[in-house]
Amino acid sequence: MSDPAKLRPATQLIHAGRLRSNFDENAEALFLTSGFAYESADMAEAVFANQLEHFQYSRFANPTVSMLEQKLAAIEGAEACRCTATGMAAVTAAMLCGLKAGDRVVAARALFGSCHWIVSTLLPQYGIATEFVDGADLAAWRAALSRPAALVLLESPSNPMLDIVDLRAVAKLAHEAGALVVVDNVFATPLLQKPFELGADVVVYSTTKHMDGQGRVLGGAVLGAKKWIEEVFQPFFRNTGPSLSPFNAWVILKGLETMSLRVAAQSKSAETIAAFLETSPKIARSLYPTLPSHPQRELAMAQMTGGGTLVTFELKGGKAAAFAMMNAFRIITISNNLGDTKSLATHPATTTHMRIGAEERARLGITDGTVRLSVGLEDVQDLIDDLAQALGQVS
C-alpha cells in the first residue's frame, strides 16, 4: 500500500490504518475479544515487560481500535492516536494525564458545557488553578499567559456560538508560558482545520460526531506526539480504563469511509441555510464562519478550508419564539447531538449549556433565543422549507 501520509484525505479515510488478518478480509475485521493468548508463560512475561510487542488486553489496545487510531493519525497528520469511549473521556484524559496539584490551566470561556465543568469545577478540586478568557481576545490571552501555565484548552469554532480562536497566535503565547495546547477540533473536523499545523500539541475529538456521523455509537480520540502519547498519556489511559470498545471502533471505521463526502455536502447546505436565515425578520442574527456578517470571517478563512456543518441563530422573541419554532419542525429533529446525517436542532440555554448558569451564558452570547442547528444530508431546499414553515409559527 502507498504511504498514507502521501495520500489525499478522502483516500486516507478509506485505506489508512488497514490491518488484514491471515484471512485477507477486505473490510476491517472486528476483533470482539477482551483478551489475547500467549504461546508460553515466557512470552507473556516478555510482553508485560515491554520486551515483545503483542496485544495483551483490549483495555490497553485492540487490533480493530488500533486500525481506527492509525487511520485518524493519518488524516490528522499526527504521530500517534489513542481512542476513548467518548469525546468527554478524550478531553478529560488529555488534561488529567499530565496535570498535578499546583498547576495552572487557562481555557477559552466558550467551551461545551461538560468541558466548562471540568475546568471550572473538577480541576480545582485537585488543586489545579484555572482561568477563563474570552477566546477571541488576544489581549486577554496575552495577560493570562504572561505567567507560567501547564495547559491551555480551547475549541474553535466554539460550541454553540461558532467563535473563532486565533490558534497560531494563542499557541505561540501558550508555548512561551510553558503550556501544552489542547484543541477540541470537533466542529471543524480534521477535513476543514489542521490544528497541529497551527501550533496545537494535542487534538481531541468526539468521534461520535462526524466520524461515525450517523447517530449510532459513542467514541473519542486523543492525538499528539508519539513521545507524549506513550510516556504521558498511555500510563493514565492504561490504568484508568477509558478505552473504546472494538465494536464501536469498527462502526466508526465504516463511518470514516464516507466522512469526506458527508462533511462537504453538509457544509455546503449549512452555508446556504445560514444565508437564508439572515433574510428572516424574526431572526436577530445568523452565525456561520464563512458568512460576510460573521465577525471573525477573515480569521476563520485563514485557518479553515470551510465553514463546517453547524449554524447558530438567534430568534428575536427569546425562548418562547425558539420553542415555538423548534416544536413546529417537520423534518428537523430536536436533539442535543450533532454531526449526524439527520439535521438536529437544540436550544443550548436549556440543554447543552444549561448548567453553566445564566451569567456565564450571557458572557458567551448564548441568549434564550439561541438555537444551534446541525445540518444533515437532507435536500437543502426541504430543510429551508421546514425552517420557513416553522418560522411561520413564531408570533
Side-chain angles (χ1 to χ4, degrees), residues 111-125 132 355-356:
L111 294 174
F112 173 58
S114 293
C115 296
H116 192 285
W117 181 85
I118 288 172
V119 176
S120 66
T121 305
L122 182 65
L123 295 184
Q125 293 177 9
F132 285 107
R355 288 180 174 82
I356 67 172

Side-chain angles (χ1 to χ4, degrees), residues 9 13 72 75-76 155-157 167 183-196 198 203-213 223 256 259-264 266-267 303-310 338-340 374:
L13 287 168
L72 292 179
I75 187 66
E76 191 69 48
E155 55 188 52
S156 183
L167 298 182
V183 175
D184 181 336
N185 201 42
V186 166
F187 273 32
T189 80
L191 297 173
L192 303 180
Q193 183 169 261
K194 298 290 188 183
F196 287 119
L198 299 168
V203 178
V204 294
Y205 288 100
S206 167
T207 60
T208 309
K209 310 306 189 287
H210 306 89
M211 294 178 182
D212 169 34
L223 300 104
L256 286 173
M259 182 180 169
S260 62
L261 298 174
R262 289 185 281 103
V263 169
Q266 289 166 293
S267 297
Q303 58 191 35
M304 297 174 67
T305 57
T309 68
L310 280 295
L338 62 93
D340 199 314
S374 173

Side-chain angles (χ1 to χ4, degrees), residues 92-392:
T92 306
M95 297 182 73
L96 289 182
C97 70
L99 293 173
K100 63 184 184 303
D103 282 344
R104 180 169 169 267
V105 170
V106 179
R109 189 178 300 280
L111 294 174
F112 173 58
S114 293
C115 296
H116 192 285
W117 181 85
I118 288 172
V119 176
S120 66
T121 305
L122 182 65
L123 295 184
Q125 293 177 9
Y126 293 96
I128 299 166
T130 61
E131 181 177 350
F132 285 107
V133 300
D134 178 350
D137 187 347
L138 275 180
W141 282 110
R142 191 171 292 108
L145 294 169
S146 62
R147 50 199 176 96
L151 186 144
V152 162
L153 175 68
L154 61 90
E155 55 188 52
S156 183
S158 71
N159 183 1
M161 302 308 293
L162 305 181
D163 296 329
I164 310 297
V165 177
D166 188 333
L167 298 182
R168 196 182 301 278
V170 171
K172 183 175 184 297
L173 291 169
H175 292 153
E176 290 171 353
L180 186 81
V181 179
V182 180
V183 175
D184 181 336
N185 201 42
V186 166
F187 273 32
T189 80
L191 297 173
L192 303 180
Q193 183 169 261
K194 298 290 188 183
F196 287 119
E197 296 176 5
L198 299 168
D201 300 300
V202 176
V203 178
V204 294
Y205 288 100
S206 167
T207 60
T208 309
K209 310 306 189 287
H210 306 89
M211 294 178 182
D212 169 34
Q214 291 158 80
R216 299 172 297 190
V217 298
L218 301 178
V222 178
L223 300 104
K226 186 174 186 288
K227 179 178 175 64
W228 181 83
I229 289 286
E230 292 182 350
E231 297 181 7
V232 180
F233 185 82
Q234 183 66 19
F236 181 93
F237 174 81
R238 177 186 177 110
N239 291 293
T240 60
S243 48
L244 178 65
S245 79
F247 178 79
N248 285 16
W250 184 82
V251 173
I252 295 164
L253 278 166
K254 297 294 96 184
L256 286 173
E257 294 181 356
T258 60
M259 182 180 169
S260 62
L261 298 174
R262 289 185 281 103
V263 169
Q266 289 166 293
S267 297
K268 182 178 179 181
S269 293
E271 185 175 53
T272 301
I273 287 168
F276 161 74
L277 288 169
E278 280 195 316
T279 67
S280 172
K282 297 178 182 179
I283 301 293
R285 57 176 175 163
S286 174
L287 296 169
Y288 188 74
T290 62
L291 285 185
S293 58
H294 193 287
Q296 297 171 289
R297 180 180 186 275
E298 185 176 347
L299 175 59
M301 292 299 91
Q303 58 191 35
M304 297 174 67
T305 57
T309 68
L310 280 295
V311 178
T312 298
F313 56 95
E314 180 185 355
L315 287 103
K316 293 178 179 177
K319 177 181 174 180
F323 276 30
M325 180 185 190
M326 294 171 69
N327 290 339
F329 286 148
R330 297 171 181 168
I331 296 174
I332 298 167
T333 301
I334 298 172
S335 175
N336 52 284
N337 197 16
L338 62 93
D340 199 314
T341 53
K342 301 175 182 68
S343 291
L344 309 173
T346 193
H347 184 253
T350 56
T351 58
T352 58
H353 290 71
M354 176 179 66
R355 288 180 174 82
I356 67 172
E359 184 178 343
E360 188 68 4
R361 288 197 299 273
R363 289 196 188 99
L364 297 173
I366 302 172
T367 70
D368 286 345
T370 299
V371 174
R372 187 193 73 191
L373 175 64
S374 173
V375 178
L377 288 177
E378 301 93 344
D379 187 286
V380 68
Q381 191 56 53
D382 284 334
L383 293 175
I384 288 174
D385 290 347
D386 195 27
L387 288 162
Q389 67 81 23
L391 281 167

